[in-house]
Amino acid sequence: MAKDKKKAAKTSETPRLKNKAYLEELRTLHVELVKLQEWVIAKGVKVCIVFEGRDGAGKGGTIKAITERVSPRIFRVVALPAPTEREKSQMYVQRYLPHLPAAGEVVIFDRSWYNRAGVERVMGFCTEEQADKFLKSTPLVERAIVESGVILIKYWLEVSPQEQTRRLEARINDGRKTWKLTGMDLKSYSRWYDYSRARDEMFKHTDTNHAPWLVADSNDKRRARLNIITDLLSRIPYEEVAHEPVTLPKRQKPGKYREPDYQYKRVADKF
């Protein structure tokens, strides 16, 4: 009987999205993101997108999926390092404010001021009093950001303990991903429920009408990326910007130009 229940539960799970289907959908969404980009430029819109979640939740991959076909000058990704001694003496949110978007920009925070509500609180980098003050003041700061004309969108990527373990273990044996697994990640991994409590407190205080948290199931990375991009596009009232038809001009004739007889230092053709 137990085996039957286990089998039924397994077959009821949604299968992971195949790569071919994922790439087809992503291509369509990339076209829409380019339209969004052109509209943001034309209308001088300011967009700020915040990505938060546990280590291994898929924030980096989602951000890459959003930005890989748009201009990095318009879609700016902000991933700040640990604060300097000078920054530690500032008002907490101060070092994030200069990175907020100006007209015609989309700024994506790969982790944000919510570090204080998450890793800093759990790992003891700030006091409980500092964390509490942050949670009380953040809705006011975000209201000021929104009232200044910024479209503020906040995503929380939710991953299961089992999937997080699988992803972090994969980093250990993959030379392309070892840089993603830091000592802090290992310490954080062991404190799953401390992070759960911190997340719950964060939602309680900062899930507001003017800046709500949008939670995405990220156990299937491909589905999560498509769902988040689709949601993002639905929350911004962009329109396609009209352009004149593009035709390539005729290339000039060589005239007296001749290719030089020069011994270039060439890259070896090994493939």
Side-chain angles (χ1 to χ4, degrees), residues 214-233:
L214 306 168
V215 179
D217 182 340
S218 67
N219 284 310
D220 183 333
K221 289 183 179 181
R222 292 168 183 161
R223 291 186 189 279
R225 293 167 190 170
L226 297 180
N227 288 334
I228 289 171
I229 297 173
T230 301
D231 182 85
L232 171 64
L233 292 168

Side-chain angles (χ1 to χ4, degrees), residues 240-258:
E240 187 169 358
V241 177
H243 291 287
E244 293 293 326
V246 177
T247 55
L248 292 176
K250 290 184 178 180
R251 186 169 283 164
Q252 67 179 156
K253 295 181 179 180
K256 295 182 179 179
Y257 178 78
R258 297 291 181 272

Side-chain angles (χ1 to χ4, degrees), residues 46-249:
K46 300 177 286 185
V47 181
C48 179
I49 308 167
V50 170
F51 279 97
E52 293 289 344
R54 302 176 193 269
D55 296 320
K59 298 180 293 297
T62 302
I63 292 170
K64 183 178 179 181
I66 293 172
T67 58
E68 62 183 342
R69 295 295 180 178
V70 291
S71 170
R73 293 186 295 276
I74 307 303
F75 278 71
R76 294 194 293 107
V77 178
V78 177
L80 297 184
T84 64
E85 289 303 314
R86 181 177 183 276
E87 288 171 333
K88 288 178 182 178
S89 70
Q90 296 174 341
M91 180 176 69
Y92 176 73
V93 76
Q94 185 174 341
R95 77 185 190 116
Y96 294 96
L97 296 180
H99 298 281
L100 290 175
E105 292 182 343
V106 179
V107 171
I108 301 175
F109 280 94
D110 184 356
R111 294 199 183 277
S112 64
W113 45 90
Y114 282 100
N115 274 342
R116 173 133 295 182
V119 63
E120 289 192 14
R121 184 174 201 173
V122 172
M123 303 309 296
F125 297 144
C126 71
T127 65
E128 281 297 307
E129 182 182 7
Q130 288 173 321
D132 289 340
K133 286 182 178 179
F134 168 81
L135 292 174
K136 291 176 182 177
S137 64
T138 295
L140 301 176
V141 173
E142 291 180 348
R143 180 178 290 279
I145 291 172
V146 171
E147 290 180 349
S148 76
V150 174
I151 297 174
L152 177 60
I153 303 174
K154 304 186 305 191
Y155 289 108
W156 175 271
L157 276 62
E158 187 67 28
V159 66
S160 69
Q162 297 80 8
E163 182 62 16
Q164 186 196 45
T165 298
R166 190 191 69 78
R167 292 177 186 178
L168 296 184
E169 285 179 342
R171 293 179 183 180
I172 296 173
N173 301 312
D174 190 334
R176 302 167 299 172
K177 299 178 181 179
T178 51
W179 63 273
K180 292 184 175 183
L181 194 61
T182 66
M184 186 58 62
D185 294 336
L186 297 175
K187 291 179 182 178
S188 299
Y189 173 79
S190 66
R191 305 186 69 171
W192 176 271
Y193 292 104
D194 287 341
Y195 271 95
S196 294
R197 281 185 281 270
R199 176 204 58 197
D200 296 346
E201 279 294 301
M202 182 185 76
F203 282 176
K204 177 181 175 181
H205 289 87
T206 64
D207 184 21
T208 59
N209 290 332
H210 59 272
W213 278 107
L214 306 168
V215 179
D217 182 340
S218 67
N219 284 310
D220 183 333
K221 289 183 179 181
R222 292 168 183 161
R223 291 186 189 279
R225 293 167 190 170
L226 297 180
N227 288 334
I228 289 171
I229 297 173
T230 301
D231 182 85
L232 171 64
L233 292 168
S234 74
R235 293 179 185 278
I236 303 175
Y238 72 98
E239 298 176 351
E240 187 169 358
V241 177
H243 291 287
E244 293 293 326
V246 177
T247 55
L248 292 176

